Amino acid sequence: MDSETVILGIESSCDDTSAAVLRGTTLASSVIASQEVHVRFGGVIPELASRAHQQNIVPVVDTALRDAGVGVGDLHAIAFTRGPGLLGSLLVGVSFAKGLAMSHGVPLVEVDHLRGHILSHFIDLPGQQMAHPPFPFMCLLVSGGHTRIVVVRSPREMETVGSTIDDAAGEAFDKCAKVMGLPYPGGPVIDRLAKEGDPRRFDFAQPRVAGLDYSFSGLKTSFLYFLRDSVAASPTFIEDNKADLCASLQRAIVDTLMFKLVKAARQFGIRDIAAAGGVSANSGLRDALTAEGVRRGWRVYLPPPRFTTDNAAMIAIAGRSELLAGNFSSLSAAPYTRG
Ligand code: KG4
Ligand code: ZN
């Protein structure tokens, strides 16, 4: 198998229907249909998500193949997200990948969504050699559903050394945003508003969790109670202090993430530090990683913003490692919902 493998990736674990084609490690096409239907409910409604995937999957895959100028028969493999995620959403991508592979005799490879996020660092853009972290490296994986510190020894050998015991960092952003009346998903909105605010104006409780694990539910609760009391005293409190609230909340989340990451890097003696997942788009977190890198002599790897949130290019690049290892999936592979 040479470097010119052509792989179609399919991602449907949550509320983005996505397909991408990789030629070798280089992105040939990428299509993402984000589901607007959830915005008015302030969160993802699983039943609506699977229905939207069902509507989007054919045009999304078709466009990705067309944009890359390849037919299904040209593919060396079809890579799909098997889990974790929402069952009804995963079922659409898994079933579609199986049907497409079977009808054209193309090999199938399955990908764990979280590994996909981490391996997004190895996607090259046309005419652009990207900085790939060397193995072993440490990855802070921060998404809407997961918050983990992972030691990555090779594309297929990863060890989770810390993880959240309750909410994920992205969930903390989204839930706190909802309490402030901001639209879903709240993470990018808080990021934007935080730029105008004072991050030291308000202090929120920092969690005390042993080892390298995280906890974000206490922060969410303390934010909620603080707002409830403040609004009782002054009904326009949120509106009057929105930027400072966002900046202070973002600082609390970023400080929490960085504290354990620094500890883990020291414990494992690793200085190549990467971030991945939707929350790694956060400008406060990116700035903190860069600053900490300068202070501690880390080499820091931040994925291009377009590969931070859910996308199928990361599924295709992770699928490439499976294909090269000869690790094929079977038609009986069922989705799994938990990581
Ligand atoms: O990785 P992702 O697209 O989906 C999951 O696998 O969960 O992550 C989505 C999460 C959401 O919680 C969203 O609010 C958060 O990533 N997010 C951000 C930013 N962009 C996306 N959080 C903070 N700042 C951002 N700029
Ligand atoms: Zn994700």
Side-chain angles (χ1 to χ4, degrees):
M1 196 72 62
D2 62 20
S3 61
E4 278 306 299
T5 50
V6 183
I7 300 182
L8 170 69
I10 296 177
E11 154 65 32
S12 73
S13 65
C14 189
D15 60 342
D16 295 300
T17 319
S18 175
V21 174
L22 277 192
R23 216 184 280 280
T25 57
T26 304
L27 190 67
S29 69
S30 171
V31 180
I32 302 175
S34 297
Q35 304 177 356
E36 298 304 323
V37 63
H38 309 290
V39 173
R40 78 184 110 116
F41 297 103
V44 177
I45 309 293
E47 195 71 13
L48 297 179
S50 53
R51 195 179 305 184
H53 282 304
Q54 194 74 262
Q55 287 162 345
N56 294 341
I57 191 99
V58 172
V60 163
V61 170
D62 199 42
T63 307
L65 290 171
R66 205 145 14 93
D67 286 357
V70 299
V72 184
D74 301 323
L75 298 172
H76 294 97
I78 295 171
F80 65 94
T81 305
R82 183 170 170 191
L86 301 170
L87 183 63
S89 291
L90 288 163
L91 270 170
V92 176
V94 171
S95 309
F96 187 84
K98 286 180 185 173
L100 193 63
M102 195 166 73
S103 60
H104 291 76
V106 177
L108 259 185
V109 286
E110 64 189 58
V111 170
D112 179 274
H113 180 82
L114 305 179
R115 285 175 178 243
H117 271 302
I118 292 170
L119 295 175
S120 63
H121 282 278
F122 296 90
I123 304 165
D124 289 314
L125 295 172
Q128 230 180 312
Q129 184 66 39
M130 310 298 284
H132 303 310
F135 300 104
F137 67 92
M138 185 165 275
C139 187
L140 176 67
L141 170 63
V142 270
S143 72
H146 297 85
T147 298
R148 293 183 179 187
I149 298 173
V150 181
V151 175
V152 188
R153 300 205 167 85
S154 80
R156 303 180 65 237
E157 270 175 287
M158 303 188 188
E159 183 191 355
T160 298
V161 297
S163 64
T164 182
I165 57 168
D166 42 53
D167 291 350
E171 224 173 332
F173 270 111
D174 296 342
K175 286 180 177 170
C176 292
K178 194 170 182 177
V179 174
M180 285 190 281
L182 299 175
Y184 176 85
V189 184
I190 289 182
D191 191 355
R192 186 162 35 80
L193 291 170
K195 292 194 170 79
E196 314 292 322
D198 175 4
R200 306 244 155 234
R201 171 86 187 283
F202 304 110
D203 269 317
F204 300 110
Q206 288 287 324
R208 290 172 201 279
V209 188
L212 298 177
D213 287 339
Y214 288 111
S215 165
F216 286 99
S217 68
L219 172 65
K220 179 190 62 190
T221 312
S222 99
F223 188 72
L224 179 69
Y225 288 165
F226 171 73
L227 283 191
R228 195 189 54 187
D229 295 347
S230 304
V231 168
S234 158
T236 57
F237 179 81
I238 296 177
E239 210 39 59
D240 297 344
N241 297 283
K242 205 169 257 177
D244 289 347
L245 283 167
C246 289
S248 300
L249 176 70
Q250 181 168 295
R251 174 177 66 89
I253 295 174
V254 169
D255 285 356
T256 303
L257 290 171
M258 292 305 297
F259 181 73
K260 291 293 174 81
L261 182 64
V262 167
K263 189 171 170 183
R266 205 183 306 126
Q267 199 168 309
F268 285 84
I270 295 179
R271 284 167 182 260
D272 288 287
I273 309 290
V279 180
S280 70
N282 184 265
S283 53
L285 178 60
R286 291 171 89 94
D287 289 349
L289 282 161
T290 306
E292 207 66 58
V294 171
R295 195 171 310 134
R296 296 180 186 275
W298 292 350
R299 286 163 298 269
V300 173
Y301 303 85
L302 301 171
R306 62 185 292 200
F307 297 138
T308 56
T309 46
D310 290 348
N311 65 87
M314 70 186 200
I315 303 306
I317 194 81
R320 178 180 152 83
S321 298
E322 300 305 323
L323 173 65
L324 296 180
N327 186 29
F328 297 102
S329 185
S330 85
L331 289 177
S332 60
Y336 53 86
T337 54
R338 290 182 169 273

